[in-house]
Amino acid sequence: MTLARFAATLFCAMALQPMAAGAAQPDAFPTRPVRLLSPFPAGSGPDAVARMVGEQLSKDWGQAVVVEPRPGGNGFISMEAVRRAAATGYDLGVVDVGHMAINPSLFRKLPYDPVKDYVPVGGLYRTSFFVVVSSGSPVKSVAELIAAAKSSPGKVTYGSWAVGSPGHLGAAQVEAATGTQMLHVPFKDTAQLYAAVANGEVTWALGSYATAGALIQAGKLRVLAVADGQRSSALPDVPTLEEAGGPRGVDASTWVALVAPAGTPAERVEAISRAVRAALDVPEVKARMATFGFVPAAVPGATVSEWMRKDTPRYAEMVRRTGATTD
């Protein structure tokens, strides 16, 4: 081989090396803005957390993360938008236990399949519900609430923000576990609900610290217990239902998570999941979430799938027991 021919061959080999190295590397993500489609209204707890996490992801990724609230239609508007989005990871959905574990039993004709149409990316947060009554109520303990319900079947009332909501079905769990018969009174939204409890229009309700906290702090609502297996960091002095003399095993906590359209590449889902978990672990994000009483759920998609497998049959039984339906 002549010296000129050898030099030409070496040049070609060196020129091809960067191309081969580049081809072996995974595609960069993201290279453009990412959308978080949400069925929750602007200003709600899930919306606030989505924005906190989105801000942190924007810093980490160097790309905008835009939260788009699409409330209404029982969450179907947002769920449909995510279902129809390209499976690239650039469109994600904010969901909760209602969308993924309750709706399959609540709606006979659900326009989406929680298992087949989406792939869980990871958790965002979990939160507990407190048993609250009016500060002027004669009921001052869980034991007194149960006794009142047993002595006057159908007379003690509990409210919720919607038929089939976690607040409704969680309260129904308490009703079933205590062997009592109470009357459910649904309201249009949480503001109306907790105002009604504070005014004594309904006896009690389940409320998260994010939704009922203002009235609790104002002294208009009395907290009797937390409907969970462990105390809440939001109100650590408040006993669990069991500690307060109520039934054992009632879990009315709820969760919020991120999902991607079905078919999104597994490696892309895992990359997003890792980034979300890192964002949830940032001290500033944790501190801001704590003001709502939210506990960061920095878990992978597999854990969210497990939550769904556990909660779907549990809530199906409560829907059957209460006869709740929105069709």
Side-chain angles (χ1 to χ4, degrees):
M1 178 183 294
T2 65
L3 182 59
R5 188 173 179 181
F6 173 78
T9 303
L10 181 60
F11 175 81
C12 290
M14 293 176 65
L16 288 172
Q17 266 191 335
M19 295 176 59
Q25 295 175 352
D27 293 337
F29 178 88
T31 57
R32 55 186 172 85
V34 174
R35 295 193 304 170
L36 304 184
L37 303 173
S38 170
F40 303 99
S44 64
D47 176 79
V49 172
R51 293 180 190 279
M52 291 178 205
V53 173
E55 288 173 8
Q56 186 61 44
L57 290 175
S58 293
K59 295 177 184 177
D60 296 340
W61 282 340
Q63 289 288 341
V65 177
V66 182
V67 178
E68 291 190 10
R70 297 193 180 186
N74 299 302
F76 297 168
I77 297 172
S78 179
M79 298 299 290
E80 180 69 5
V82 177
R83 187 178 72 84
R84 291 181 174 275
T88 59
Y90 284 93
D91 291 295
L92 306 172
V94 182
V95 298
D96 72 358
V97 65
H99 306 110
M100 305 303 284
I102 296 177
N103 282 357
S105 299
L106 196 62
F107 295 91
R108 295 188 181 92
K109 296 181 179 179
L110 191 65
Y112 64 86
D113 187 314
V115 176
K116 295 180 180 179
D117 292 336
Y118 312 96
V119 54
V121 172
L124 286 177
Y125 70 86
R126 295 188 70 98
T127 191
S128 300
F129 288 115
F130 298 93
V131 177
V132 296
V133 299
S134 170
S135 58
S137 171
V139 175
K140 293 183 170 55
S141 68
V142 170
E144 290 181 5
L145 178 63
I146 296 172
K150 288 185 174 180
S151 64
S152 302
K155 295 296 180 63
V156 171
T157 57
Y158 66 88
S160 80
W161 55 90
V163 171
S165 65
H168 174 202
L169 299 182
Q173 286 185 62
V174 176
E175 182 183 20
T178 55
T180 57
Q181 181 183 350
M182 301 186 232
L183 178 64
H184 173 231
V185 182
F187 289 81
K188 290 183 178 180
D189 56 42
T190 56
Q192 290 185 5
L193 166 63
Y194 299 118
V197 177
N199 294 332
E201 296 173 35
V202 290
T203 309
W204 69 283
L206 290 179
S208 69
Y209 191 73
T211 53
L215 290 176
I216 293 171
Q217 292 178 339
K220 295 183 178 181
L221 291 177
R222 177 186 301 136
V223 183
L224 303 184
V226 59
D228 201 344
Q230 59 186 11
R231 295 193 181 198
S232 169
S233 59
L235 295 172
D237 293 332
V238 173
T240 65
L241 266 176
E242 183 179 355
E243 291 173 336
R248 175 184 298 181
V250 173
D251 179 5
S253 62
T254 188
W255 48 266
V256 174
L258 279 180
V259 298
T264 303
E267 62 274 14
R268 178 66 53 82
V269 171
E270 177 55 28
I272 298 171
S273 181
R274 286 196 302 269
V276 171
R277 299 200 298 271
L280 289 169
D281 200 41
V282 172
E284 181 184 355
V285 174
K286 286 183 175 181
R288 291 170 66 188
M289 290 178 68
T291 63
F292 292 90
F294 296 153
V295 179
V299 298
T303 301
V304 177
S305 294
E306 184 57 32
W307 292 346
M308 292 168 59
R309 283 192 291 270
K310 174 185 174 183
D311 288 342
T312 298
R314 180 165 69 91
Y315 280 113
E317 171 59 22
M318 296 315 303
V319 169
R320 184 198 65 77
R321 183 186 293 271
T322 60
T325 180
T326 56
D327 288 341

